[in-house]
Amino acid sequence: MRKSRYSEEQIIGMLREHDAGVSTKEICRKYGISDATFYKYKAKFGGMSVSDAQRLKTLELENGRLKRLLADAMLDNAALKDIAFKKLLTPDVKRQAVQHMMSKHGMSERRACTLAELDRSTFQYQKRSGSDGELRTRLRDLASERRRFGYRRLGILLEREGLYANHKKVYRLYREEGLTVRRRRGRKRAVGTRRPVLLPSGANHRWSLDFVSDALSDGRRFRTLCVVDDFTREALAVVVDTSLSGVRVSRELDRLVEQRGKPRMIVSDNGTELTSHAILRWHKERGVEWHYIAPGKPTQNAFVESFNGRLRDECLNEHLFSSLGEARSLIEEWRIDYNTERPHTALGGLAPSVYAEQSRHPRPGSPELRNGSAHRALTTHTNPERKANRLY
């Protein structure tokens, strides 16, 4: 039935004219409606005001909307139950479910794709038929010739031969053919001791080693080898160079041994330079015990790690080095100042070299030795991780 050409307000106006004494025939002739239409208006809107009519219209619209929503929900529920026998995991299965809902339940493509959680562009995509037989065969042949090549290198070789394929496709075929490269076990390295280490009670009892990296102003990288005496906290050496191999480390240790004497123990992490054959030979020939911290536990080497933080914060981050010579000069100046001038809180405010001198020749009644605060901090705690944040 087509919609009435009169609004609710106009219809209520007709009824009010009729209530005022105008006859039905005159109203029908005036507004061009039949008697039956007038009485239908009267049955529906009789005794109502304009606001009541508007409220009735709003209720009818809301009721119609709710009916449509209920019908849509029931249709969606029925469609989902119809495809519940299969899990919608892959795009192909989702595409089949969308086609089923469109054909059986008369759904639109947009609505069916929404229910199946499938993008419309994926549904509309037409697969290009093609065989990967030649690509698979050549991939297997290349993998047998180049057994240590992964899929990326094999893909480059395929492109050189004119077999172009997306790297994701090459990886898929690579996995399907079972061509994954087996990982080789690492070579044996010096393992050293891994038992807990007590804190030192005197100078040259234990040294700690570690590396710090930085860059020059032109972007070239350089490394520093830091050597610290764990008792006196002295920075024994900060060696700066672009490359520091195990042979170079052993040579620098020989230089320090000539200057200060041989340490009882050296502590380091498990870096390749410090687990090399050169270091293994060095500590066996010199009779120096070498202790490697547990992997991933830098707090077990807390003395030199704390020194590294001070070096980076107070020197490396403060200067812009234009050359390797300038870096060596400025870092050596900072090291000397660190040893001779910089107050050390763990040593009672003394500089490391001053504390080292006083520990070798204690003065009677000296406050730092009388109170024993610094000495007890070194000798009473057996766990190096406990005071890691208070060392420097």
Side-chain angles (χ1 to χ4, degrees), residues 163-213:
L163 297 175
Y164 296 97
N166 185 282
H167 71 279
K168 292 181 286 187
K169 183 176 183 179
V170 174
Y171 179 69
R172 176 174 59 82
L173 299 178
Y174 180 80
R175 292 293 300 271
E176 290 176 359
E177 295 297 325
L179 303 176
T180 306
V181 177
R182 293 183 180 273
R183 181 175 296 179
R184 289 175 175 168
R185 298 181 63 181
R187 64 180 179 87
K188 294 183 179 179
R189 293 187 176 92
V191 293
T193 59
R194 297 198 188 281
R195 63 180 181 276
V197 180
L198 300 178
L199 291 180
S201 58
N204 272 6
H205 283 195
R206 194 174 77 200
W207 295 353
S208 296
L209 309 183
D210 201 9
F211 293 96
V212 179
S213 297

Side-chain angles (χ1 to χ4, degrees), residues 279-316:
I279 294 298
L280 182 61
R281 282 194 306 271
W282 185 88
H283 79 77
K284 282 188 176 181
E285 293 172 358
R286 304 301 186 277
V288 177
E289 184 180 2
W290 200 290
H291 176 81
Y292 292 102
I293 66 174
K297 297 288 185 179
T299 53
Q300 294 181 5
N301 203 11
F303 294 91
V304 72
E305 290 287 350
S306 183
F307 173 80
N308 293 344
R310 304 286 76 74
L311 171 63
R312 185 172 295 281
D313 182 57
E314 300 174 12
C315 182
L316 300 182

Side-chain angles (χ1 to χ4, degrees), residues 26-60:
E26 291 181 358
I27 292 176
C28 291
R29 181 175 55 82
K30 178 179 178 181
Y31 292 100
I33 58 177
S34 63
D35 294 346
T37 302
F38 175 78
Y39 287 116
K40 287 181 181 179
Y41 287 162
K42 188 174 182 180
K44 186 174 181 180
F45 298 102
M48 295 178 62
S49 62
V50 174
S51 60
D52 294 335
Q54 291 176 347
R55 192 159 45 247
L56 177 62
K57 182 179 180 180
T58 303
L59 291 174
E60 289 178 348

Side-chain angles (χ1 to χ4, degrees), residues 344-364:
H344 206 299
T345 56
L347 303 178
L350 299 176
S353 60
V354 176
Y355 179 78
E357 182 65 25
Q358 292 189 6
S359 65
R360 285 192 294 269
H361 308 287
R363 293 177 300 171

Side-chain angles (χ1 to χ4, degrees), residues 140-150 154 157 160 181:
R140 286 196 300 267
D141 295 341
L142 288 174
S144 62
E145 297 172 5
R146 309 278 188 170
R147 290 182 295 275
R148 303 306 301 173
F149 277 17
L154 294 176
L157 296 179
R160 290 178 182 176
V181 177

Side-chain angles (χ1 to χ4, degrees), residues 253-291:
L253 291 176
D254 283 334
R255 182 179 60 82
L256 289 176
V257 168
E258 291 178 2
Q259 295 176 357
R260 298 178 55 89
K262 186 172 62 175
R264 298 181 184 178
M265 177 185 293
I266 294 179
V267 180
S268 73
D269 58 17
N270 299 270
T272 55
E273 302 88 351
L274 303 177
T275 57
S276 62
H277 292 293
I279 294 298
L280 182 61
R281 282 194 306 271
W282 185 88
H283 79 77
K284 282 188 176 181
E285 293 172 358
R286 304 301 186 277
V288 177
E289 184 180 2
W290 200 290
H291 176 81

